[in-house]
Amino acid sequence: MIKKIAILTSGGDAPGMNSAVKSVVNASLEKGLKPYVVYEGFLGLTNGNFKEVEKKDVKFFSTLGGTSIYSARYPEFKEEKTRKKAIAKMQEQGIDALVAIGGDGSYMGAAKLTKMGIKTIGLPGTIDNDIASTDYTIGFHTALNTIVSALDKTRDTSESHMRANVVEVMGRNCGDLAIHAAIATGAEVLSVPERKLTEKEISTKVKQAREEGNRSIIIIVTENMYDIDSLAKKIESFSKVETRALSLRHIQRGGSPVAEDRTLATIMGAFAVERLMAGENGVAVNIKDNKLSTKDILEVVKMKRQSNDELLRHYDLSK
């Protein structure tokens, strides 16, 4: 029987993580459990950096960006001896279960603890929206809004000076942020992992866009696909359109979460506590077609995302 529950955030921070923490804390207290936050993710779990919290401690968490219980990259957690140390710290505190909020790396950490006898459940906290089992991840909508706002501002100055801009956004191997942003802003050129363009193809599209009368030309690319400074020079050389490069970098992770992320995190957090109390273990919470569910966490890590062809078709129609 679960009496004490710990909550951690791990990996890259995502807007809405704080809402998830608040929800787990409040749902735990409602069910008579003692909630503990873990500072600095799996690193803090290993070091026993726990704190028992009450409702008043998380009252205003939902308005805050980032993660107020912090995060840390901690590759050493892959080692069994490190995980044994973390389990010993949990046992010293009498903690029976763990809610891990993060992406696939956080899920793997939770899965390994499950195999060692710890009750765990994962919540999808990542701006990349790259967890295949769920329609949306906590943080995606806020990051998308940040990107769209930045693109609108970039469009203003590009239109004034008759320029092209290569804008690099996050997403790793998933193009969701880039595609949604391109649809929302009418970007003239889009290159994502699911449909990568060559540098020549991008340059040709920019040239065509200028010939069609576009004063400003926005080229959106997903991170790590190109050297965007080099790409901007090649575009300018080929198309004769003045071109600048802009990487939005970590501003995409920051800021107060939008309503969609606060709501998603809140309902997922409460559902996670319910499922743990019902005896589920080693699973991740998902939302599909507005319905909450759980799925084995290792299966989730191995899943491939559905094709983005339909979304890309909508982008092609939106330009």
Side-chain angles (χ1 to χ4, degrees):
M1 182 178 177
I2 297 173
K3 294 182 179 180
K4 296 182 179 181
I5 188 167
I7 311 120
L8 64 77
T9 55
S10 177
D13 59 308
M17 280 182 162
N18 284 324
S19 296
V21 172
K22 176 182 177 179
S23 179
V24 174
V25 168
N26 289 348
S28 298
L29 289 167
E30 182 185 21
K31 294 186 179 298
L33 306 178
K34 289 185 177 181
Y36 289 74
V37 294
V38 183
Y39 290 102
E40 296 189 319
F42 288 110
L43 173 63
L45 193 72
T46 304
N47 292 332
N49 196 357
F50 310 130
K51 179 184 177 183
E52 184 178 355
V53 289
E54 302 175 8
K55 289 188 73 169
K56 65 180 181 179
D57 297 315
V58 297
K59 182 175 177 61
F60 299 109
F61 263 34
S62 290
T63 65
L64 304 175
T67 165
S68 295
I69 60 173
Y70 317 130
S71 183
R73 305 289 187 184
Y74 191 49
E76 292 86 350
F77 203 74
K78 294 177 182 178
E79 300 173 8
E80 186 175 355
K81 64 179 181 180
T82 302
R83 297 194 300 276
K84 285 182 177 179
K85 183 179 177 183
I87 290 172
K89 292 293 184 181
M90 293 177 70
Q91 290 172 340
E92 285 176 16
Q93 198 68 51
I95 292 171
D96 308 294
L98 175 71
V99 177
I101 307 166
D104 52 7
S106 305
Y107 279 15
M108 283 301 300
K112 290 180 184 296
L113 287 174
T114 300
K115 286 186 174 182
M116 298 173 74
I118 300 297
K119 296 180 177 67
T120 64
I121 193 164
L123 293 181
T126 167
I127 68 169
D128 297 332
N129 209 41
D130 60 350
I131 295 179
S133 59
T134 187
D135 285 339
Y136 295 109
T137 57
I138 297 165
F140 171 73
H141 285 100
T142 306
L144 176 60
N145 282 8
T146 298
I147 293 167
V148 168
S149 177
L151 286 169
D152 287 346
K153 292 176 174 65
T154 301
R155 175 75 76 179
D156 289 343
T157 187
S158 294
E159 189 78 12
S160 298
H161 292 277
M162 206 171 179
R163 290 184 184 132
N165 280 86
V166 180
V167 183
E168 183 182 63
V169 305
M170 286 183 170
R172 293 199 303 174
N173 299 316
C174 177
D176 280 19
L177 280 171
I179 300 170
H180 281 81
I183 293 171
T185 61
E188 284 74 21
V189 186
L190 171 68
S191 183
V192 292
E194 297 89 336
R195 191 171 76 181
K196 183 178 180 179
L197 304 179
T198 65
E199 292 181 342
K200 181 67 175 294
E201 287 172 327
I202 293 173
S203 299
T204 300
K205 286 180 179 292
V206 170
K207 185 176 181 181
Q208 291 172 344
R210 176 52 53 85
E211 290 171 351
E212 290 168 1
N214 292 277
R215 283 185 60 86
S216 59
I217 301 167
I218 300 296
I219 307 112
I220 301 178
V221 301
T222 301
E223 63 185 342
N224 303 324
M225 294 175 63
Y226 311 93
D227 177 331
I228 61 170
D229 291 311
S230 174
L231 175 59
K233 291 176 182 177
K234 290 177 182 178
I235 291 170
E236 184 167 324
S237 176
F238 179 87
S239 66
K240 310 307 178 188
V241 176
E242 183 182 359
T243 306
R244 302 288 174 85
L246 171 64
S247 178
L248 299 183
R249 298 184 182 275
H250 288 84
I251 67 164
Q252 295 163 90
R253 293 196 185 280
S256 181
V258 297
E260 291 95 332
D261 282 323
R262 297 185 197 191
T263 303
L264 179 63
T266 299
I267 63 174
M268 280 187 161
F271 189 70
V273 176
E274 289 175 8
R275 299 327 301 160
L276 279 171
M277 293 292 288
E280 290 196 43
N281 180 29
V283 296
V285 174
N286 315 292
I287 190 162
K288 282 280 189 181
D289 300 322
N290 289 319
K291 293 181 180 179
L292 290 166
S293 64
T294 56
K295 193 174 187 67
D296 182 273
I297 206 161
L298 283 178
E299 287 186 34
V300 170
V301 172
K302 295 174 184 176
M303 286 177 68
K304 292 184 178 179
R305 286 194 61 80
Q306 292 180 341
S307 167
N308 261 333
D309 289 349
E310 183 67 13
L311 200 57
L312 285 165
R313 186 179 72 82
H314 286 297
Y315 162 69
D316 292 334
L317 294 173
S318 72
K319 291 186 290 182

